[in-house]
């Protein structure tokens, strides 16, 4: 019995001596894992489109769940923590932090919800113009200069960035209603569901393309198994081929070119 008690005491002492080192190692490993995580910042601005923001938010949240936190996501604004009203008198969402263009990862810019045209306060061009003339543009300029950041846009988000010349000579897509405007603002519009100008700029077409962009980025960052599990969870399959500025160009059979 005494021998057994002595053994237990010895074991307890050894564990007491080893535990601090083990705890420190665990914390070090956790810090290293945190540095390797992909962090997603979804930008909110007054009049943003709810589905543009929340569709990707749910995909990235599910990706974090299935990957033990390899992806993290938060809602941000150019002004910092605040309640941000969505368009069409929709509900507000809380931005938990200020957009940080110096943080590596993904920054996703949604479009706006409102009247498709016009100059009224609830018209999409007006909403996007106000956002483009805010502190957001300066922060996005910084984000584009950060080689550790991928900028993604959904629907009118590409128009918002193009308004200040951020997409000049870049391939991009937006809602079909805004493709002519995108071209007029200096971008190279591409008729595709998702367009990747380069690995650091990815844009999506209509409002539901937010799901497709998020799934594509999850697959790109974490692999197809995580992306497929999310598709199963949502009962949704990603749509469209991701157009990239690479590879062979197809023959142009436009009748206007036939002589």
């Amino acid at each position: 019995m005494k021998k057994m008690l002595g053994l237990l005491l010895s074991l307890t002492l050894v564990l007491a001596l080893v535990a601090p080192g083990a705890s420190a190692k665990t914390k070090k490993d956790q810090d290293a894992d945190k540095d390797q995580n992909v962090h997603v910042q979804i930008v909110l601005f007054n009049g943003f489109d709810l589905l543009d923001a929340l569709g990707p938010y749910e995909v990235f949240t599910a990706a974090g769940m299935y990957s033990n936190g390899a992806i993290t996501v938060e809602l941000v604004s150019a002004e910092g923590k605040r309640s941000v009203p969505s368009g069409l008198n929709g509900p507000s969402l809380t931005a938990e932090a200020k957009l940080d263009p110096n943080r590596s990862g993904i920054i996703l810019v949604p479009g706006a919800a409102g009247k498709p045209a016009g100059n009224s306060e609830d018209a999409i061009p007006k909403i996007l113009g106000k956002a483009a003339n805010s502190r957001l543009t300066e922060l996005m300029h910084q984000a584009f200069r950060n080689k550790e950041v991928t900028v993604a846009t959904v629907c009118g988000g590409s128009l918002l960035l193009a308004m200040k010349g951020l997409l000049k000579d870049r391939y991009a897509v937006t809602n079909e209603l805004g493709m002519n405007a995108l071209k007029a603002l200096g971008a190279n519009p591409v008729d595709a569901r998702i367009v990747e100008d380069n690995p650091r700029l990815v844009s999506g077409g209509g409002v539901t393309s937010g799901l497709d962009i998020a799934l594509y980025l999850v697959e790109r960052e974490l692999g197809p198994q995580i992306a497929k599990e999310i598709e199963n969870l949502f009962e949704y399959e990603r749509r469209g081929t991701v157009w990239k500025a690479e590879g062979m160009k197809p023959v142009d059979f436009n009748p206007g070119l036939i002589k």
Side-chain angles (χ1 to χ4, degrees):
M1 185 67 177
K2 289 183 179 180
K3 186 176 181 180
M4 180 64 72
L5 287 174
L7 181 61
L8 289 173
L9 287 173
S10 299
L11 181 59
T12 301
L13 180 60
V14 170
L15 289 174
L17 292 172
V18 172
S23 297
K25 183 178 180 181
T26 300
K27 186 177 187 304
K28 184 178 179 180
D29 290 343
Q30 290 175 344
D31 290 341
D33 290 342
K34 184 177 180 180
D35 292 339
Q36 295 174 1
N37 287 353
V38 178
H39 186 65
V40 182
Q41 300 180 78
I42 297 179
V43 181
L44 304 182
F45 54 86
N46 291 2
F48 73 95
D49 186 282
L50 277 169
L51 187 55
D52 283 4
L54 291 183
Y57 183 89
E58 289 214 24
V59 171
F60 291 127
T61 300
M65 176 180 67
Y66 281 122
S67 64
N68 285 323
I71 278 186
T72 54
V73 58
E74 67 176 337
L75 301 176
V76 301
S77 80
E79 299 76 22
K81 185 173 182 178
R82 70 182 181 98
S83 178
V84 187
S86 61
L88 294 175
N89 296 316
S92 298
L93 295 181
T94 300
E96 295 295 338
K98 183 177 180 179
L99 169 63
D100 183 359
N102 298 313
R103 183 168 186 176
S104 63
I106 298 168
I107 296 176
L108 185 142
V109 181
K115 295 176 181 176
N119 197 39
S120 61
E121 292 299 314
D122 58 349
I124 289 176
K126 189 79 168 183
I127 296 170
L128 294 177
K130 284 186 175 181
N133 288 318
S134 72
R135 166 78 171 155
L136 176 58
T137 293
E138 179 183 343
L139 293 174
M140 291 308 300
H141 268 289
Q142 296 177 40
F144 272 101
R145 291 195 293 267
N146 185 347
K147 295 182 179 180
E148 301 300 319
V149 168
T150 293
V151 175
T153 66
V154 180
C155 200
S158 55
L159 288 171
L160 193 164
L161 299 181
M163 284 177 173
K164 292 299 179 177
L166 286 171
L167 299 190
K168 183 174 175 56
D169 298 326
R170 295 176 181 265
Y171 294 102
V173 66
T174 186
N175 186 289
E176 62 177 13
L177 297 177
M179 292 290 274
N180 289 335
L182 190 63
K183 183 176 182 179
L185 291 167
N188 296 319
V190 179
D191 183 15
R193 180 74 170 172
I194 303 173
V195 173
E196 185 175 272
D197 176 77
N198 59 59
R200 294 186 49 239
L201 175 61
V202 185
S203 57
V207 61
T208 56
S209 69
L211 293 170
D212 302 309
I213 279 190
L215 283 166
Y216 169 66
L217 291 172
V218 166
E219 180 181 5
R220 196 182 80 174
E221 300 295 331
L222 302 182
Q225 294 185 47
I226 299 293
K228 184 63 172 67
E229 199 65 30
I230 297 170
E231 287 186 342
N232 292 342
L233 177 67
F234 288 4
E235 295 188 2
Y236 175 84
E237 293 184 358
R238 199 176 81 206
R239 293 176 53 199
T241 299
V242 178
W243 186 95
K244 300 181 181 181
E246 59 186 40
M248 292 180 62
K249 294 184 178 181
V251 174
D252 190 347
F253 290 105
N254 187 331
L257 297 180
I258 299 177
K259 297 181 180 181

